[in-house]
C-alpha cells in the first residue's frame, strides 16, 4: 500500500513502468491467470493513463515448480514451506533451471551457509533487498536459463565483449625479404 507508481524520474516513485507493452502484456496475462487460480494475495492499482504499467502483485504458490518462466516485473511470488523441508528447497529451486538471483531472509547463519553451498544462482542476497545490484560493487549475472554466467560490472566484464583472434604469417615461406621488415 505504501508503494508509489509513477514517473521514474520523480524521486518519490517506487515503481515505474516495465520496459515495453509486450512485457506489460505478458506480465498482466500471468497475473490474470494467477487471479483466476485464486493465488493473488494483494495487488495495487496502476496509474491512470497510457503506459506500460504493471501494478505490483503479491502471489502465493504451492510449489516453486508452478513457475514455468521468469517474470521480470513488480511481482513477488511466495512459496511457503515447513522448517523440516528447508534442506530440500535448493534442489527444488535448482530444478527449475533458472538462476538469476536468490534471496534469503533468515537469522539462522547455518541456513545462509547451506544455501550458499547448494543454490545455483548468479546472485545470492542474504537479509537485504533482492534487486538493484550496484555496478562495480555487486556484479550482476545469472546461471542456467537466466544467463550466460559473466557478470555485468564485475572485474572481468570487458572480456565478455571480446573475441581474441590471432593471425600469424610466415613471410619467408612465400618468398618475402625479411631484411625489408627490419
Amino acid at each position: 500500500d505504501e508503494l508509489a507508481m509513477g514517473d521514474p524520474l520523480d524521486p518519490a516513485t517506487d515503481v515505474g513502468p516495465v520496459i515495453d507493452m509486450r512485457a506489460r502484456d505478458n506480465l498482466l496475462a500471468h497475473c490474470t491467470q494467477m487471479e483466476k487460480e485464486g493465488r493473488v494475495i494483494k495487488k495495487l492499482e496502476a496509474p491512470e493513463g497510457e503506459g506500460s504499467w504493471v501494478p505490483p502483485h503479491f502471489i502465493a504458490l504451492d510449489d516453486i515448480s508452478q513457475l514455468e518462466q521468469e517474470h521480470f516485473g513488480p511481482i513477488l511470488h511466495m512459496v511457503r514451506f515447513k522448517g523440516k523441508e528447508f534442506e530440500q528447497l535448493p534442489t527444488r529451486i535448482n530444478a527449475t533451471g533458472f538462476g538469476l538471483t536468490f534471496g534469503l531472509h533468515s537469522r539462522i547463519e547455518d541456513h545462509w551457509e547451506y544455501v550458499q553451498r547448494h543454490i545455483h544462482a548468479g546472485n545470492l542476497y542474504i537479509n537485504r533487498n533482492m534487486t538493484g545490484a550496484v555496478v562495480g560493487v555487486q556484479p550482476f549475472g545469472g546461471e542456467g536459463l537466466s544467463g550466460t554466467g559473466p557478470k555485468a560490472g564485475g572485474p572481468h566484464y570487458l572480456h565478455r565483449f571480446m573475441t581474441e583472434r590471432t593471425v600469424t604469417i610466415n613471410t619467408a615461406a612465400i618468398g618475402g625479404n625479411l631484411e625489408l621488415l627490419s
Side-chain angles (χ1 to χ4, degrees), residues 27-103:
L27 291 166
L28 290 177
H30 171 68
C31 290
T32 299
Q33 180 61 38
M34 293 294 103
E35 270 192 278
K36 286 180 186 175
E37 295 178 18
R39 299 188 179 285
V40 174
I41 293 174
K42 177 77 175 175
K43 76 174 185 176
L44 300 183
E45 296 301 317
E48 295 291 324
E50 292 186 29
S52 54
W53 301 105
V54 176
H57 280 69
F58 181 39
I59 298 171
L61 301 175
D62 297 323
D63 191 81
I64 190 70
S65 64
Q66 292 174 293
L67 279 179
E68 297 174 356
Q69 68 182 55
E70 294 172 306
H71 298 281
F72 293 104
I75 303 171
L76 175 63
H77 295 93
M78 175 192 63
V79 178
R80 293 181 180 99
F81 62 92
K82 299 195 182 305
K84 64 185 178 188
E85 298 171 344
F86 180 78
E87 290 187 359
Q88 300 163 2
L89 290 178
T91 301
R92 290 173 32 209
I93 292 166
N94 293 339
T96 67
F98 300 106
L100 184 59
T101 298
F102 179 85

Side-chain angles (χ1 to χ4, degrees), residues 5-8 15-28 45-55:
M5 291 185 72
D7 183 348
V15 181
V18 296
I19 192 74
D20 58 27
M21 298 304 270
R22 181 177 171 204
R24 180 201 71 171
D25 294 346
N26 288 338
L27 291 166
L28 290 177
E45 296 301 317
E48 295 291 324
E50 292 186 29
S52 54
W53 301 105
V54 176

Side-chain angles (χ1 to χ4, degrees), residues 66-168:
Q66 292 174 293
L67 279 179
E68 297 174 356
Q69 68 182 55
E70 294 172 306
H71 298 281
F72 293 104
I75 303 171
L76 175 63
H77 295 93
M78 175 192 63
V79 178
R80 293 181 180 99
F81 62 92
K82 299 195 182 305
K84 64 185 178 188
E85 298 171 344
F86 180 78
E87 290 187 359
Q88 300 163 2
L89 290 178
T91 301
R92 290 173 32 209
I93 292 166
N94 293 339
T96 67
F98 300 106
L100 184 59
T101 298
F102 179 85
L104 175 70
H105 288 271
S106 175
R107 294 180 183 160
I108 304 170
E109 193 168 347
D110 287 347
H111 285 179
W112 310 344
E113 292 170 354
Y114 185 82
V115 165
Q116 185 176 355
R117 286 191 314 270
H118 292 91
I119 204 75
H120 298 165
N123 307 286
L124 176 60
Y125 295 136
I126 306 293
N127 293 333
R128 60 148 284 181
N129 186 325
M130 289 174 240
T131 60
V134 178
V135 174
V137 177
Q138 297 160 305
F140 187 79
E143 293 183 18
L145 298 173
S146 298
T148 60
K151 303 289 193 183
H156 306 292
Y157 187 48
L158 183 59
H159 298 286
R160 181 175 186 195
F161 299 104
M162 296 170 39
T163 302
E164 183 176 354
R165 293 194 174 106
T166 302
V167 176
T168 305

